[in-house]
Each structure stands twice: as structure tokens, then as C-alpha cells.
Amino acid sequence: MSTQMPFDLQAAHRHFSAACFNQAWDLMDKTDRTPDEDEQMIRLSLASHYHWTQREDCQPGNESIAYWQTSRIYVLLHQPENARRYAEKSLVASRAGGETPFLMGYSFEALARAATAAGNHTLRDDYLAQARQYAEKVTDPEDQKALLADLETVLSQS
């Protein structure tokens, strides 16, 4: 029996890590999701993360983004404890990846959203302040603009 794959497994992981992430994001943007689509968002986000972990080029930053997306999905689904859990995992992965300002800022953005979803505005404000400190250190103007814009939407989530 041959153990050789009939396809390139790394190419498959590259494909599905991105495809599942993007499909989850499409559902996140949808304003009239069905309960089945809500479940599909979770499955897609977790599948994307799984495929990232199977890639030879997976780094802590990739995991930080995967955890961040899952946290944001749980905010949309009004599950603040799950949102907080994945936001904390995003922060751990960001720290493991060298604490780049962009990833750290988004990890704190996720924590702020989770705190908002839980109704804890004091904690939200603390996380937003930390996210803004990191945003000031982001050197790419487009990345900085995106992060700051997302931070503003946390306040409108209240």
C-alpha cells in the first residue's frame, strides 16, 4: 500500500487556511445570517486555524490572527466568554510572535470587544487604551489606519 498522497498536502493546507478564513469573513459581514450560517462561521474559522497549524510556514502571528477571528465571531454570536477565551489566546500568540505592534493591537482590540460583549466597559476602556498604544507604534500607514478604524467600531458596539 502506497503512503504517497495523490495531491500536494501543503498546497491543500495553504488553500484551505485562506479559503476557510475568507468564507468565515464573508459570513461575518452578512447582517442577516441564519442559525446554520452562525454555526458555519465557527466551523470555518476553526478549520482555517487547523489548516494554518498544518502549514510548514505557520508562525505565532498566523495563530494570533486565527484566534482573533474566532473571538470576533463569538462576539457576533453574543458569547462573551468564548470571545474572551479566544482573545486571550490571540494575545498569547502575539506575544510568542515577538509582540509586533499590529498583532498586539488587534489582540487588545479583540479583548476590548469581548469585554464590551460582557458589558464590562471599564475593562473595555483599559484594553482600548492598550490597543491604541500599540496602534501608535504600527509603522505601515495602511495597517495603522485599519487598526485605528476597527478600534473606533468597538465603541459603537456598546
Side-chain angles (χ1 to χ4, degrees), residues 8-14 16-17 46-59 62-63:
D8 181 341
L9 187 57
Q10 281 299 303
H13 288 307
R14 283 190 303 275
F16 287 112
S17 61
L46 295 174
S48 171
H49 191 169
Y50 165 76
H51 286 289
W52 262 109
T53 65
Q54 302 308 298
R55 290 174 54 161
E56 294 170 347
D57 61 343
C58 183
Q59 299 293 317
N62 305 115
E63 291 211 74

Side-chain angles (χ1 to χ4, degrees), residues 72 101-102 106 109 113 131-132 134-153:
R72 193 149 177 178
F102 181 77
Y106 267 106
E109 181 260 3
R113 282 186 194 282
R132 285 187 184 106
Y134 280 104
E136 290 174 14
K137 299 175 186 173
V138 174
T139 57
D140 181 280
E142 291 300 314
D143 286 348
Q144 185 182 56
K145 181 180 175 182
L147 176 54
L148 289 170
D150 279 339
L151 293 176
E152 289 303 313
T153 67

Side-chain angles (χ1 to χ4, degrees), residues 39-89:
E39 288 297 316
Q40 184 73 348
M41 263 191 320
I42 295 168
R43 285 191 296 267
L44 286 164
S45 182
L46 295 174
S48 171
H49 191 169
Y50 165 76
H51 286 289
W52 262 109
T53 65
Q54 302 308 298
R55 290 174 54 161
E56 294 170 347
D57 61 343
C58 183
Q59 299 293 317
N62 305 115
E63 291 211 74
S64 174
I65 293 166
Y67 286 129
W68 169 84
Q69 184 185 55
T70 303
S71 175
R72 193 149 177 178
I73 287 169
Y74 280 121
V75 166
L76 292 172
L77 299 179
H78 309 289
Q79 296 182 29
E81 284 302 310
N82 283 328
R84 179 194 51 77
R85 179 174 171 246
Y86 282 94
E88 288 173 350
K89 288 177 174 286

Side-chain angles (χ1 to χ4, degrees), residues 5-36:
M5 297 274 182
F7 56 87
D8 181 341
L9 187 57
Q10 281 299 303
H13 288 307
R14 283 190 303 275
H15 170 78
F16 287 112
S17 61
C20 291
F21 183 93
N22 292 334
Q23 288 175 39
W25 198 265
D26 289 343
L27 287 171
M28 290 167 68
D29 284 340
K30 192 173 177 184
T31 57
D32 60 343
R33 286 183 312 276
T34 66
D36 286 341

